[in-house]
Amino acid sequence: MSNALELKNITKTFPGVKALDNMQLSLEKGEIHAICGENGAGKSTLMKIITGVYQPDKGDIILNGEKVTFKNPNEAYDKGISIIYQENSLFPDLTVLENMFIGHEPTKSIGPIKAIDYKAMT
Ligand SMILES: Nc1ncnc2c1ncn2[C@@H]1O[C@H](COP(=O)(O)OP(=O)(O)O)[C@@H](O)[C@H]1O
Ligand SMILES: [Mg+2]
């Protein structure tokens, strides 16, 4: 059985600091993991690499047995990977539903107009 997600030899360097040094991680379908580490350990950098915010300098991301590269978070989202940030920017004037779908709203056409499809969203 192949892992749902596997990271191999992931390295990410920022000016003056190696945030991730040859890291390995493999997750199987249905598992829940907690990534723990002191401030500056590289947790956020890791999450940003998995979700396409950053690209690794070196190493591979293998999703369901297939090597993938994410140029941006939308490409990761299209493969089923998304993130909810700890310090979340919620839009207070929007509903929970609207906040959940920000940037990924299903749409429908009403004549020439493309509108948010609330029924599909619900
Ligand atoms: N965009 C960035 N530019 C420069 N350095 C960064 C950047 N993001 C993270 N770092 C550095 O990389 C290291 C890991 O940071 P981070 O992944 O945020 O750790 P954690 O989330 O575990 O606290 C830290 O030394 C941090 O200062
Ligand atoms: Mg962090």
Side-chain angles (χ1 to χ4, degrees), residues 12-20 35-48 54 86:
K12 179 71 180 175
T13 308
F14 295 111
V17 56
K18 204 173 223 183
L20 296 172
I35 309 284
C36 306
E38 64 186 318
N39 199 11
K43 304 178 297 292
S44 294
T45 303
L46 173 64
M47 293 308 129
K48 286 175 180 173
Y54 294 148
Q86 174 182 7

Side-chain angles (χ1 to χ4, degrees), residues 16-58:
V17 56
K18 204 173 223 183
L20 296 172
D21 186 5
N22 222 30
M23 82 145 296
Q24 324 292 329
L25 176 72
S26 59
L27 313 178
E28 283 176 26
K29 191 173 178 207
E31 290 181 342
I32 297 173
H33 288 257
I35 309 284
C36 306
E38 64 186 318
N39 199 11
K43 304 178 297 292
S44 294
T45 303
L46 173 64
M47 293 308 129
K48 286 175 180 173
I49 282 174
I50 294 172
T51 53
V53 176
Y54 294 148
Q55 287 67 49
D57 302 331
K58 190 173 92 52

Side-chain angles (χ1 to χ4, degrees), residues 105-111 113-119:
E105 299 87 348
T107 56
K108 61 177 177 185
S109 295
I110 304 172
I113 297 166
K114 220 169 130 190
I116 292 176
D117 187 345
Y118 282 94
K119 208 170 155 190

Side-chain angles (χ1 to χ4, degrees), residues 9 47 65 85 97 99:
N9 311 317
M47 293 308 129
Y85 286 100
L97 197 61
N99 270 284

